[in-house]
Amino acid sequence: MTRETKTPDIKQGPDIKQGKAPANEAGAARAPASATSAEVAAFVAKVKALGPASGAARGRLLFAMDATMSRAPTWDMALALQSEMFRAVKEIGSLEVQLMYFRGAGEARASRWVSNADALAGLMRQVACHGGFTQIGKVLAHARRESEKAKISALVYVGDAVEESIDDLAGRAGELALLGVPAFLFQEGDDANATRAFREIARLTKGAHCRFGPGSAAELRALLTAVAVYAAGGQKALQALLGRPEGEGARRLLGQMGR
């Protein structure tokens, strides 16, 4: 099903509404994605050795997530892992993060830009899943607008489905690519349409796409942390790893980002 392509204004500010995460009666959890090992390898080795770029300007990471009801069965796990990413951001110390989510009947919200890890985790805990269609086009358009104001180092998106036109999303991804903003898309489950869309967005923006399932908690933790460190250190930090034993992971990531 295709959502409308017009992108209304995103509500922005620290007023993310509080809500209790729904119980898992929304349906059985998906089976773990079976093809994640090669995709994960590119990120996992990197996160073990990556460090922030010395003296670099503060990076900016837009973290967006699908908060529709299909994600309810694994929502608590995702929140916990994403909170760990924010704690890693605190250690990096040179990164600002904005949290965005969509759910319900056209609801899409973005927080203020913050560098306090505890504030980020607190904002995330206020989000609960509501039924609705995907609004990825709004995420990409919002990322473009924000990067036009001040450069965004990377966009991270976590979701499990695509109910919009892939061509429309590709057009918005192309706009983001012109601003040099890579998109890192983390796909929960193995929906084939989502895989096609996420791979195309990653290709156009020179980012990366990776799938994960309920059994991929450790890998996802490393992946999210790696992207946060990349946003703070940039490709120079990845290039610096190529001569180290852990460099194979960085080499794979750089290869994927260059496609």
Side-chain angles (χ1 to χ4, degrees):
M1 184 179 298
T2 303
R3 289 290 287 167
E4 88 295 352
T5 57
K6 183 178 179 181
T7 304
D9 291 338
I10 304 298
K11 293 183 179 180
Q12 189 165 347
D15 57 338
I16 291 180
K17 293 183 178 179
Q18 188 169 7
K20 184 178 180 181
N24 292 358
E25 72 275 9
R30 298 172 202 77
S34 59
T36 60
S37 57
E39 299 164 330
V40 167
F43 292 83
V44 171
K46 170 172 60 99
V47 72
K48 293 179 179 177
L50 242 179
S54 173
R58 183 180 294 274
R60 301 173 85 228
L61 173 68
L62 174 57
F63 188 94
M65 54 188 181
D66 177 343
T68 57
M69 194 60 75
S70 64
R71 298 201 63 215
T74 56
W75 188 248
D76 289 343
M77 178 200 76
L79 288 184
L81 295 178
Q82 289 157 197
S83 293
E84 291 190 25
M85 183 197 81
F86 293 146
R87 282 194 287 273
V89 169
K90 183 176 181 179
E91 296 176 3
I92 296 167
S94 59
L95 189 66
E96 291 183 332
V97 180
Q98 183 183 69
L99 174 66
M100 181 180 181
Y101 70 90
F102 61 77
R103 63 184 182 181
E107 179 185 3
R109 292 179 179 267
S111 74
R112 64 191 183 279
W113 287 94
V114 296
S115 56
N116 183 298
D118 295 331
L120 289 167
L123 288 174
M124 290 190 62
R125 286 193 294 269
Q126 295 176 31
V127 182
C129 295
H130 291 174
F133 294 100
T134 63
Q135 301 175 58
I136 303 167
K138 290 183 182 179
V139 171
L140 298 175
H142 177 71
R144 174 182 57 79
R145 289 193 297 269
E146 287 294 298
S147 198
E148 287 173 342
K149 297 175 186 176
K151 172 68 175 175
I152 291 178
S153 306
L155 164 65
V156 169
Y157 175 77
V158 182
D160 65 344
V162 173
E163 296 164 312
E164 300 151 86
S165 163
I166 296 180
D167 286 338
D168 289 343
L169 295 180
R172 296 194 184 280
E175 295 172 351
L176 208 56
L178 291 175
L179 296 172
V181 180
F184 296 89
L185 300 105
F186 296 94
Q187 178 186 350
E188 183 177 8
D190 54 7
D191 179 80
N193 190 59
T195 298
R196 285 192 296 271
F198 292 169
R199 282 179 176 169
E200 183 63 6
I201 293 169
R203 184 188 69 81
L204 288 167
T205 63
K206 297 187 182 340
H209 160 255
C210 184
R211 289 186 291 155
F212 70 95
S216 306
E219 290 87 350
L220 180 60
R221 181 186 301 109
L223 301 180
L224 292 172
T225 304
V227 175
V229 176
Y230 163 78
Q235 290 214 20
K236 288 184 178 179
L238 293 180
Q239 293 284 357
L241 285 179
L242 295 180
R244 302 182 187 176
E246 303 91 346
E248 181 59 30
R251 186 173 292 106
R252 293 180 187 177
L253 179 61
L254 286 167
Q256 186 174 2
M257 291 177 67
R259 289 176 187 172

